[in-house]
Amino acid sequence: MNEPETDVVHAVEHATEAEPQDNRRQVLYWRLLARLFDPEEQAALESASLAVVEDIGLPPALLDPGASVDSIVQRHPELAAEFDGLMVPEAEAGARPEAGARPEAGTQTEAGTQTEAGTQTEAEPGPETGTRPEADDGDIRDRPAEVRRAALVSKVMLNVFSTGTGAVSAGQLARWQSDAGWLERALGCTPGDLRGGRAGGGRGVSPTGSGGNGGTPDLSRLIPQIGPELGALEGDLVKRMHLREVLADPALAARLTPSMSLIEQLLRDKNNLSGVALANAKALIRRFVDEVAEVLRTQVEKATVGAIDRSVPPKRVFRNLDLDRTIWKNLTNYSPEEERLYVDRLYYRHTARRTTPQRLVVVVDQSGSMVDSMVNCTILASIFAGLPKVDVHLIAYDTQALDLTPWVHDPFETLLRTNLGGGTDGTVAMALAQPKIAEPRNTVVVWISDFYEWRGEPLYDSMAALHRSGVKFIPVGSVTSSGRGSVNPWFRERFKDLGTPVLSGHIRKLVHELKTFLT
């Protein structure tokens, strides 16, 4: 057999070996699609998928819709590392042929192509499966690894996106939240990041660790954006729960994992709860508030507050000792004979910081559409209220306005006094906010709303007047992890023209704006 014939035979054998692996992968993905659109089992797909999973050495429990990812990882801890970053785009790079791979000589079969033997070959179509004899050796993919990845991806996707119908128990919600955390880990994120809840959270998500790759992956290619969809799924599950019955049972209530969707339902229904149910609801709200506050407090404390105040003598404690300066200033006391440096004076770093008294007025739309922003910003206001020389005032409004400043240091008590829902009339909130502005240039007003107002023009005029007076005015449309939400385009355009564009997206943006002004 001459060399060209050998090359063609090799390519055909390579295609023949690859075809079963491609078929296995397709079986697993067809089963995933079938189960997502129809909960009824397709016997042929189930038996074929079981054969594939067993053949590649994975546990059959991967095909059990009732088995959570946590339970599988508990029995097979080695799989935890495989789930982490499983769906990160970079993980697929090894499965793609390298660009510009040069085909081996003699494998081309296009019309008029000449082999090394000098014989002309006519074009022949490849097999209908899509594998072609002319596939070159550069097109080497780790197909067994692709099949394994397909099995794991199918498991986590099915558990998260096949939520069924009917009532949901506390255990089912907790299991879904855990599986959603594994999906976020598979996408290279920390559990909780994509759902617009506790960014960087993930407590109680998995007994095997919080996971995540630590970086911020590029998920821009996801269509649609998966974060808001996960949040919507979680909200739907919470609505399908018999929440009052669950809260009345301490054992069931303890199984609930606090989330933004759950907190919204608790805040809406708190006036209808009493006794044990109300106590459990308050405990869940406080747990969630504490978790969010921990994350936000870290973000606020990352930057220093104020410039160094050198008029205040430095504290003479060891942690403030400026060792380099101390050595430099005492070099004249060095004894070459003794090879010893004698120190007659210690130098310390200044740590006191100069701050100007500032006033922060936070106005929050408490309509239902803004619940996530309201929770985040209420907690954020309490954190800034704990900073020196920052005077924080908090106002919530719908068709009426409520001054929550007496409770601003306790976001838990503040949230319990809110009343979600109703219309929106920002002019009543403005009437409360304006008297609080004594020194405009030392005041920042943060207004959190979707700005779908009953009396839009009068409200905008008063906001523009605040801005012209020297007040730092920050309109905020949405401050969540996902950035989901809409803002009245009429207000959006006018704020842009005013030079105060609407801030939306992750709450870190608002933290940065406030620190820039207040420090």
Side-chain angles (χ1 to χ4, degrees), residues 141-298:
R141 292 159 50 186
D142 189 353
R143 285 179 167 82
E146 291 180 2
V147 175
R148 189 177 183 90
R149 187 182 303 120
L152 298 175
V153 168
S154 296
K155 176 59 181 174
V156 70
M157 293 285 284
L158 189 61
N159 277 28
V160 172
F161 289 100
S162 180
T163 57
T165 58
V168 175
S169 68
Q172 288 174 312
L173 176 64
R175 194 195 79 169
W176 183 91
Q177 290 172 327
S178 171
D179 288 332
W182 281 105
L183 175 60
E184 290 165 317
R185 290 175 61 168
L187 289 167
C189 301
T190 302
D193 275 355
L194 298 181
R195 282 169 282 168
R198 304 171 307 284
R203 297 184 178 189
V205 171
S206 169
T208 59
S210 60
N213 293 335
T216 303
D218 179 12
L219 303 180
S220 59
R221 294 192 300 170
L222 290 177
I223 304 174
Q225 292 294 318
I226 198 170
E229 300 307 318
L230 289 177
L233 282 173
E234 185 174 41
D236 177 65
L237 290 170
V238 170
K239 289 177 182 177
R240 286 159 51 189
M241 289 180 62
H242 295 300
L243 194 54
R244 295 182 191 178
E245 289 81 354
V246 171
L247 291 172
D249 187 331
L252 291 177
R255 298 181 65 182
L256 290 174
T257 301
S259 65
M260 190 65 74
S261 300
L262 179 60
I263 298 309
E264 178 181 353
Q265 292 300 316
L266 294 176
L267 291 176
R268 289 183 184 278
D269 205 34
K270 66 181 185 298
N271 293 330
N272 299 317
L273 301 175
S274 60
V276 175
L278 180 59
N280 287 330
K282 288 183 176 181
L284 285 167
I285 295 173
R286 185 173 287 282
R287 274 178 57 194
F288 185 78
V289 165
D290 290 345
E291 289 178 9
V292 176
E294 181 180 348
V295 175
L296 295 182
R297 191 174 293 110
T298 301

Side-chain angles (χ1 to χ4, degrees), residues 25-45:
R25 182 166 51 87
Q26 290 177 22
V27 163
L28 293 171
Y29 283 136
W30 275 115
R31 174 186 176 272
L32 169 62
L33 292 174
R35 293 301 295 261
L36 285 175
F37 289 101
D38 185 357
E40 293 296 325
E41 291 186 0
Q42 302 292 327
L45 285 175

Side-chain angles (χ1 to χ4, degrees), residues 6 9 53 58 66 68 141 146 173 193 258 293 309 344 368 376 410 452 459 464 498 501 508 519:
T6 303
V9 170
V53 167
L58 287 174
S68 66
R141 292 159 50 186
E146 291 180 2
L173 176 64
D193 275 355
D309 188 352
D344 58 13
N376 278 302
D410 189 343
Y452 284 93
L459 178 60
L498 189 65
R508 280 193 298 265
T519 61

